[in-house]
Amino acid sequence: MLAGDVDYEHHGHGYASQRRTDPRIEAQVHTALGDARTIVNVGAGAGSYEPADRYVVAVEPSAAMRAQRPSGRVPALDATAERLPFDDDSFDAALASVTVHQWSDTVAGLRELRRVTRGPVVVLTFDGDALDLLWLAEYAPELIAAERRRYPALDLIAAHIGATCGIQPVPVPIDCVDGFTEAFYARPERFLDPAVRRSQSAWTFVDDADEARAVDHLRRDLDSGAWDERYGHLRTQPEFVGSLRLLIGRP
């Protein structure tokens, strides 16, 4: 039985090598956590954006993802967001980093985050309404459509993680080392690499034929110079403000 909408036992291997913590995004996330000393990281995966200088309890239902946690990270508990095995107000803060769209019951998971946390609940996610700001929408509309169905509305998240909630855009740096789709806004050739696509769960919702067509279309446009004619300015644009968002809910 899957804990979320992607089978990471089959699709999660090699994830940690492609999806690394970007220090600029990390700084924004850690600022949002404030001075919290105890943190629960739910849907922790391989440990991206998890503070190393505080007491952290990590929760991750996928064995394949737990196995990829670096030796310096705490081992993750085998549990799901919807049923956190903690008392009320157990932690100073909670973190859910690019994970809420994979939960089987988003509202239940968000309520659990709020229940076990006495301070800020910090959620790093994507705004489904802004996904087509990335040029990839032209090449893989099926991917954008699939992602839009997956991501919970920001208003829904905000309503369940705090009495008040701030929403911040998260700029993506040109040399971002976290390999989600927008990380390669200036490096389109990276999408030709199957290993890059395998680390982006959205592609598992795209038919093989549609994926092959999208990659072939991009390859042809790169070879002909058509991509650079339309989007070449992005190759030197220092950052891209797309759909990545940081929500900070307070009790």
Side-chain angles (χ1 to χ4, degrees), residues 40 42 80-84 86-91 94 96 100 103 105-119 121 123 156-163 251:
V40 59
V42 178
T80 64
E82 295 84 354
R83 294 185 178 183
L84 295 176
F86 311 117
D87 293 334
D88 294 358
D89 300 326
S90 292
F91 301 94
V100 295
W103 298 351
D105 187 334
T106 303
V107 170
L110 295 172
R111 286 174 174 167
E112 280 288 88
L113 286 181
R114 184 68 274 164
R115 180 185 67 80
V116 304
T117 308
R118 50 185 173 263
V121 172
V123 176
L156 175 72
I157 299 172
H160 290 93
I161 63 172

Side-chain angles (χ1 to χ4, degrees), residues 185-245:
Y185 74 88
R187 295 169 285 169
E189 292 83 2
R190 299 293 285 136
F191 287 105
L192 304 182
D193 183 349
V196 167
R197 300 195 304 277
R198 281 195 299 269
S199 72
Q200 299 167 345
S201 63
W203 291 101
T204 66
F205 296 90
V206 177
D207 181 88
D208 289 347
D210 290 330
E211 180 177 352
R213 177 199 51 75
V215 172
D216 183 62
H217 184 187
L218 177 58
R219 180 181 288 108
R220 285 186 282 107
D221 277 6
L222 288 170
D223 289 344
S224 71
W227 187 92
D228 281 278
E229 287 179 9
R230 293 193 297 276
Y231 304 113
H233 63 282
L234 293 174
R235 291 193 185 275
T236 56
Q237 183 172 298
E239 62 184 24
F240 177 73
V241 179
S243 62
L244 190 58
R245 300 289 183 269

Side-chain angles (χ1 to χ4, degrees), residues 36-58:
R37 299 309 306 168
T38 62
I39 297 167
V40 59
N41 184 17
V42 178
S48 292
Y49 305 107
E50 194 174 281
D53 59 347
R54 318 188 202 192
Y55 179 86
V56 174
V57 174

Side-chain angles (χ1 to χ4, degrees), residues 11-221:
H11 298 289
H13 300 281
Y15 186 94
S17 64
Q18 298 289 340
R19 300 297 298 272
R20 293 173 288 147
T21 297
D22 185 272
R24 285 120 333 164
I25 297 174
E26 179 182 52
Q28 189 169 347
V29 171
H30 289 189
T31 296
L33 291 169
D35 60 0
R37 299 309 306 168
T38 62
I39 297 167
V40 59
N41 184 17
V42 178
S48 292
Y49 305 107
E50 194 174 281
D53 59 347
R54 318 188 202 192
Y55 179 86
V56 174
V57 174
V59 173
E60 172 54 53
S62 166
M65 297 302 288
R66 293 195 303 271
Q68 294 180 69
R69 292 177 63 80
S71 59
R73 300 290 187 193
V74 296
L77 299 177
D78 180 5
T80 64
E82 295 84 354
R83 294 185 178 183
L84 295 176
F86 311 117
D87 293 334
D88 294 358
D89 300 326
S90 292
F91 301 94
D92 293 334
L95 174 63
S97 176
V98 194
T99 180
V100 295
H101 60 291
Q102 298 169 343
W103 298 351
S104 60
D105 187 334
T106 303
V107 170
L110 295 172
R111 286 174 174 167
E112 280 288 88
L113 286 181
R114 184 68 274 164
R115 180 185 67 80
V116 304
T117 308
R118 50 185 173 263
V121 172
V122 177
V123 176
L124 184 65
T125 187
F126 293 90
D127 180 359
D129 291 335
L131 291 170
D132 56 7
L133 293 175
L134 182 65
W135 53 263
L136 188 62
E138 176 184 337
Y139 294 88
E142 299 86 358
L143 181 144
I144 300 301
E147 287 286 81
R148 190 163 278 149
R149 289 190 296 269
R150 296 175 73 205
Y151 283 107
L154 299 186
D155 287 347
L156 175 72
I157 299 172
H160 290 93
I161 63 172
T164 62
C165 184
I167 302 177
Q168 302 175 356
V170 181
V172 179
I174 193 169
D175 57 349
C176 183
V177 299
D178 189 348
F180 54 89
T181 54
E182 290 180 354
F184 303 117
Y185 74 88
R187 295 169 285 169
E189 292 83 2
R190 299 293 285 136
F191 287 105
L192 304 182
D193 183 349
V196 167
R197 300 195 304 277
R198 281 195 299 269
S199 72
Q200 299 167 345
S201 63
W203 291 101
T204 66
F205 296 90
V206 177
D207 181 88
D208 289 347
D210 290 330
E211 180 177 352
R213 177 199 51 75
V215 172
D216 183 62
H217 184 187
L218 177 58
R219 180 181 288 108
R220 285 186 282 107
D221 277 6

